[in-house]
Amino acid sequence: MLWVVENHSLPRTAAFFDLDKTVIAKSSTLTFSKSFYQGGLINRRAVLRTAYAQFVFLAGGADHDQMERMRAYLSALCRGWNVRQVKELVAETLHDLIDPIIYDEAASLIEEHHTAGRDVVIVSTSGAEVVEPIGELLGADRVVATRMVVGDDGCFTGEVEYYAYGPTKAEAVRELAASEGYDLARCYAYSDSATDLPMLEAVGHPHAVNPDRALRREALSRGWPVLDFHRPVRLKQRVRRFSVPPRPALVAAAAIGAAAATAGLVWYANRRRTAVV
């Protein structure tokens, strides 16, 4: 059971959480589009387009190809944005936008894992400038997130330095296990998407949360627990009840290059071709 405190003579363990639709009810990146509009970073047309993208994402209709188009669009959209301004906008609106969409069930799981002595790691495809503050808000110990290239002028170039997606998430999990001494056979992982199958397969206790159809099918065939989270709660109301004080998020050093990210895309494309409908 999650709340049993671990024997510290054994190797360390961790719980790895995808973020969007697993811990929070929406896309973390798209949720801040109104803030970016008010800050002058995007125009009204971009707001409408991201609102549509949020709708597709929430409807569960965003397949691999759509996610790739969304990634390319957002990468081009943020070209020229000042990183300091982005961080300030996220900090100013974090509580108003993110607090109301934290799943109560996810908050309870994070609390239980911490109580049991496990580290909590957020592993998200969203950008680090958004994920790191959310990780800190959640009391996560570490964060793995997509990182954009920043130019000498302090602005995004539009290029992706590290894409936390598919197999690259699993690679980051294994690297963390090696550096932190986690016993992956005793670790937990949670995700809503079939694209995170490599991360789920990397641990001994995988869980499907609000799974898309492909992941639900995989989870049922493998006997993995399927969890349905549907009660958003204001996190700051729960933090007061946490038995373990929230800890600052530490950014995981994701030393994975573009080749690994490309391999991840090839892996998923091959999986789609061989999948049984």
Side-chain angles (χ1 to χ4, degrees), residues 217-229:
R217 184 169 58 245
E218 288 283 347
L220 292 176
S221 68
R222 301 183 190 211
W224 294 349
V226 176
L227 308 178
D228 292 313
F229 293 175

Side-chain angles (χ1 to χ4, degrees), residues 6 12 19 65 99 104 111 125 129 139 144 168 182 192 227:
E6 296 199 338
R12 299 176 62 202
L19 182 60
D65 293 336
D99 268 10
D104 185 33
E111 178 184 5
T125 305
E129 288 74 20
V144 175
T168 61
Y182 299 144
D192 70 293
L227 308 178

Side-chain angles (χ1 to χ4, degrees), residues 5-274:
V5 178
E6 296 199 338
N7 185 338
H8 291 289
S9 65
L10 297 174
R12 299 176 62 202
T13 57
F16 301 93
F17 286 84
D18 174 51
L19 182 60
D20 300 348
K21 292 177 71 176
T22 301
V23 175
I24 65 175
K26 297 181 180 180
S27 162
S28 51
T29 298
L30 300 179
T31 296
F32 286 94
S33 61
K34 185 176 180 180
S35 299
F36 295 155
Y37 169 70
Q38 293 174 337
L41 294 177
I42 60 177
N43 57 31
R44 186 172 181 81
R45 181 180 179 183
V47 172
L48 294 175
R49 185 166 180 178
T50 52
Y52 172 73
Q54 182 79 274
F55 168 77
V56 172
F57 180 80
L58 293 176
D63 61 17
H64 170 75
D65 293 336
Q66 288 172 317
M67 287 295 290
E68 280 304 296
R69 287 195 294 271
M70 190 184 303
R71 178 192 66 82
Y73 168 69
L74 292 174
S75 296
L77 185 67
C78 75
R79 184 184 298 120
W81 288 5
N82 182 276
V83 177
R84 177 179 292 182
Q85 183 183 7
V86 172
K87 291 182 177 180
E88 289 175 349
L89 289 171
V90 170
E92 290 170 1
T93 57
L94 181 68
H95 287 277
D96 290 339
L97 295 178
I98 299 300
D99 268 10
I101 61 173
I102 302 291
Y103 283 124
D104 185 33
E105 299 92 338
S108 294
L109 268 178
I110 290 172
E111 178 184 5
E112 290 170 10
H113 280 299
H114 270 155
T115 301
R118 302 184 188 100
D119 283 355
V120 170
V121 184
I122 302 298
V123 188
S124 175
T125 305
S126 293
E129 288 74 20
V130 169
V131 180
E132 289 171 15
I134 295 176
E136 185 171 357
L137 185 68
L138 292 165
D141 300 279
R142 284 167 179 76
V143 163
V144 175
T146 294
R147 308 191 73 83
M148 303 294 292
V149 176
V150 180
D152 294 336
D153 58 356
C155 298
F156 292 125
T157 66
E159 299 175 338
V160 178
E161 177 183 351
Y162 166 69
Y163 191 30
Y165 181 81
T168 61
K169 282 189 175 184
E171 197 67 35
V173 165
R174 293 188 184 97
E175 289 183 2
L176 267 179
S179 64
E180 300 300 321
Y182 299 144
D183 178 1
L184 287 179
R186 296 169 54 237
C187 287
Y188 293 72
Y190 303 86
S191 177
D192 70 293
S193 174
T195 62
D196 284 340
L197 274 171
M199 179 178 76
L200 295 170
E201 292 169 338
V203 302
H205 301 284
H207 293 70
V209 178
N210 298 336
D212 57 28
R213 284 179 292 181
L215 179 57
R216 183 177 292 274
R217 184 169 58 245
E218 288 283 347
L220 292 176
S221 68
R222 301 183 190 211
W224 294 349
V226 176
L227 308 178
D228 292 313
F229 293 175
H230 58 271
R231 297 194 305 271
V233 64
R234 293 192 70 86
L235 181 64
K236 61 185 180 183
Q237 294 175 352
R238 288 190 52 89
V239 166
R240 300 190 190 100
R241 306 202 302 270
F242 273 15
S243 57
V244 177
R247 290 168 282 186
L250 301 178
V251 181
I256 305 171
T262 302
L265 303 185
V266 172
W267 170 87
Y268 191 75
N270 290 338
R271 186 173 189 89
R272 291 188 69 205
R273 285 197 293 269
T274 58

